Amino acid sequence: MAKKKPGENPKRISSHTYSAAREKPGKRKEMKQPKQANILFLAVIVVVIAVCVGPLMAEISAPDFGHSKHVGLKMDEALLTVSNELETEVLVSWRSERCYQCLYQHLGVVPAGSSPGQPGSADFSVSTQHEITLQLNSTPDAQELCKVQFHFGEHGNYSLWMKNLNTVSLTNCSLVTNSEPVNSNMPILVAFFVFVGLALIFAVGCRVLRLGVVRGFVLRISGTMETERLINSELGSPRTDGLVTDNILPSPANANRRLRSLDTFRGISLVIMVFVNYGGGRYWFFRHSSWNGLTIADLVFPWFVFIMGTSIALSINSLLRGGANRTSLLKKVLWRSSQLFLIGVFIINPNYCLGPLSLDNLRIPGVLQRLAWSYLVVASLDLLVARGHLDILTTDAWWSPGLDIILYWPAWLCVLLMEIVWLCLTFLLPVPDCPTGYLGPGGIGDMGLHVNCTGGAAGYIDRRLLGEQHIYQSPSSKAGKILLHYRDVPTSVISRFLIWGLLLGTISAVLTECSTDRGFIPVNKNLWSLSYVTTLACFAFVLLVLVYYTIDVKKWWSGAPFYYPGMNSILVYVGHEVFEDYFPFRWRMANSQSHAEHLIQNVLATSLWVVISYILYRKRIFWKI
């Protein structure tokens, strides 16, 4: 970490404004070896590049700009020197433009000029993540002198001059850039192009390997190596009569074949989740939104819940067709939900960072705990309405286009009732000392009028039911049924996905009035507001259409590499949480205030989990609960 110069102690402001199928042996297996070798080779290349480029990027990210005052700056900070030529002290306050109706926060006081030509001055570190507004007031009478709205650049050096014009009552404020900021987004652009380049190399390599001449050459080499291995081994010549027949015979057509697009979608959500949890290079758009609004980090959890619900419908239908009864399946649902909940509470509880786990401050509603509850509710509802045999249903009736809705009306009714209950609790439940229906952040938000009303009814219910010490202490202030009924008609699947996406997007537009803060129900991840659910479901339907069309319909893409973590999601999620602070997933950095070093460390750690999931996939090791 960079050290400050002696005598230099600039005050800081923060941007956070709110408190398995088997492979067939023999020739068919040999045909797959080049592709498997390429995938593993690509994974090795990613790791090697990350390790080799890391020190280089660290050097690039910390250049010497020739300004000693940069030494004390952290990530996402700039140096601001305020020079005051007035005859009175000036109070400097600030407010982020991402903080809706927030109070100004004091930055510091600039002394008055000692004499003409000798202004008073003070140095401050200001946030560069978002545009901010500086307010300058005279200290005796708190009179506003001027306001300056500006988006500072990381590690830039700026001067703000205050002077009187012809009359004492008029004050001029001018902002000057002393040295240009660095481009803090360059590391993530470099990482993006590196991965795009690797993907293109891999795609071209696969195309080349499909050429007859190249494929024959590779197979001749691999066949020669296999022959030598067998000659030199204790097994002697290869035998064909001892092979298991069910591995040779082609498997019968499976109506319940696994859709690779679903595992790929799950893998995409999981990989982004792991990257975000590891830090996301310490970029603000890879952190959860402070209150209203969306960032990339806000997308992945709802998408994971979305694909979990999609898979539930397919899984339960498959089990019912296989002869399982609903009572036994309900027991499995209860057991799996309990396992997820207990793993979340006792294995990956974030309170371990504070020392031995204590029941006094045990966090109850964690990620896996919420997944457990969602799984229990959705799976139980689906068990009530699921049909084991779909082939007896008519498709000629006028209502057949709505099979995915009409046949499951009890579940839809339950969902509607739960939504009505949420709306009533949110907007009608009286909360002590807070306005009814309040959805704001409390604290300095809403001009500080509702300091202790964070989250309104949702926050009040959480505190009453779980207790203050058992909730998160550092807050950032229907697809399965469609696939089930229209699986053999891709156009119907795609059209229904797009219709649902359009419908949910329209609901979101009405609820939010297409704004971040001024709608009826703003998009808010902390509250899991109705508009947040509809907006993320809209995005999920669109993404699933793209993945489904390219993987399962056109087969342009195999889903790699996201397919592999998607097949082992519980293991990857639990593993990345448990081993987060262990090498090679984390190490001591030469410059902890470098976006580049954080990005390399986080990308490498995430890539390692993709490689691990691929190795486990090749070994047919899957953690199922």
Side-chain angles (χ1 to χ4, degrees), residues 398-531:
W398 63 269
W399 48 267
S400 59
L403 281 175
D404 52 319
I405 299 177
I406 298 173
L407 293 178
Y408 308 102
W409 67 266
W412 284 100
L413 181 60
C414 290
V415 171
L416 181 61
L417 289 176
M418 285 189 288
E419 202 57 61
I420 292 174
V421 170
W422 182 88
L423 289 171
C424 291
L425 289 175
T426 300
F427 292 102
L428 300 179
L429 180 68
V431 179
D433 302 322
C434 298
T436 303
Y438 181 70
L439 296 175
I444 64 174
D446 298 308
M447 307 309 296
L449 297 176
H450 314 295
V451 177
N452 298 317
C453 298
T454 302
Y460 176 71
I461 292 173
D462 285 347
R463 291 188 291 270
R464 294 287 293 179
L465 291 181
L466 303 175
E468 188 73 39
Q469 299 300 317
H470 299 289
I471 58 179
Y472 191 38
Q473 299 301 309
S474 303
S476 61
S477 266
K478 208 44 190 159
K481 298 303 183 185
I482 294 176
L483 289 170
L484 201 59
H485 287 278
Y486 306 100
R487 187 167 191 160
D488 297 327
V489 189
T491 54
S492 297
V493 172
I494 293 173
S495 62
R496 280 165 171 78
F497 281 174
L498 292 176
I499 290 172
W500 275 109
L502 177 62
L503 176 61
L504 292 167
T506 303
I507 294 175
S508 298
V510 172
L511 293 176
T512 63
E513 297 182 2
C514 297
S515 67
T516 302
D517 300 291
R518 294 180 173 85
F520 302 107
I521 304 179
V523 173
N524 190 294
K525 192 263 182 187
N526 294 275
L527 302 177
W528 279 71
S529 63
L530 178 59
S531 59

Side-chain angles (χ1 to χ4, degrees), residues 151-200:
H151 193 166
F152 294 92
E154 184 175 6
H155 292 179
N157 192 332
Y158 304 88
S159 294
L160 178 61
W161 289 85
M162 300 183 59
K163 58 182 68 177
N164 285 326
L165 296 178
N166 296 332
T167 61
V168 179
S169 60
L170 295 178
T171 303
N172 175 260
C173 296
S174 57
L175 187 66
V176 179
T177 301
N178 300 324
S179 66
E180 293 295 330
V182 301
N183 187 350
S184 59
N185 294 323
M186 185 59 66
I188 200 168
L189 290 175
V190 172
F192 172 77
F193 285 115
V194 167
F195 277 97
V196 169
L198 290 174
L200 291 176

Side-chain angles (χ1 to χ4, degrees), residues 59-207:
E59 295 294 331
I60 295 175
S61 64
D64 182 8
F65 296 95
H67 297 279
S68 59
K69 289 184 178 180
H70 282 184
V71 175
L73 295 176
K74 296 182 179 180
M75 281 187 298
D76 302 319
E77 287 186 348
L79 179 66
L80 175 65
T81 300
V82 181
S83 299
N84 178 19
E85 294 186 0
L86 306 181
E87 298 178 353
T88 180
E89 293 183 339
V90 173
L91 173 65
V92 183
S93 304
W94 73 283
R95 181 176 68 188
S96 171
E97 291 306 303
R98 291 294 297 268
C99 188
Y100 180 66
Q101 293 184 342
C102 288
L103 295 173
Y104 280 92
Q105 302 298 294
H106 292 172
L107 185 56
V109 176
V110 183
S114 58
S115 61
Q118 297 292 328
S121 65
D123 294 336
F124 306 101
S125 293
V126 293
S127 173
T128 62
Q129 292 187 352
H130 307 291
E131 187 177 44
I132 66 173
T133 298
L134 296 173
Q135 184 185 62
L136 298 98
N137 297 338
S138 60
T139 53
D141 51 8
Q143 178 184 359
E144 181 180 311
L145 302 175
C146 64
K147 282 184 179 180
V148 177
Q149 191 171 347
F150 191 74
H151 193 166
F152 294 92
E154 184 175 6
H155 292 179
N157 192 332
Y158 304 88
S159 294
L160 178 61
W161 289 85
M162 300 183 59
K163 58 182 68 177
N164 285 326
L165 296 178
N166 296 332
T167 61
V168 179
S169 60
L170 295 178
T171 303
N172 175 260
C173 296
S174 57
L175 187 66
V176 179
T177 301
N178 300 324
S179 66
E180 293 295 330
V182 301
N183 187 350
S184 59
N185 294 323
M186 185 59 66
I188 200 168
L189 290 175
V190 172
F192 172 77
F193 285 115
V194 167
F195 277 97
V196 169
L198 290 174
L200 291 176
I201 292 173
F202 177 70
V204 172
C206 291
R207 290 282 185 181

Side-chain angles (χ1 to χ4, degrees), residues 9-30:
N9 185 26
K11 296 184 180 180
R12 306 184 183 277
I13 61 175
S14 170
S15 63
H16 297 286
T17 56
Y18 301 111
S19 10
R22 301 187 180 183
E23 293 185 359
K24 299 180 181 180
K27 184 176 180 180
R28 186 166 300 199
K29 185 173 182 179
E30 292 177 3

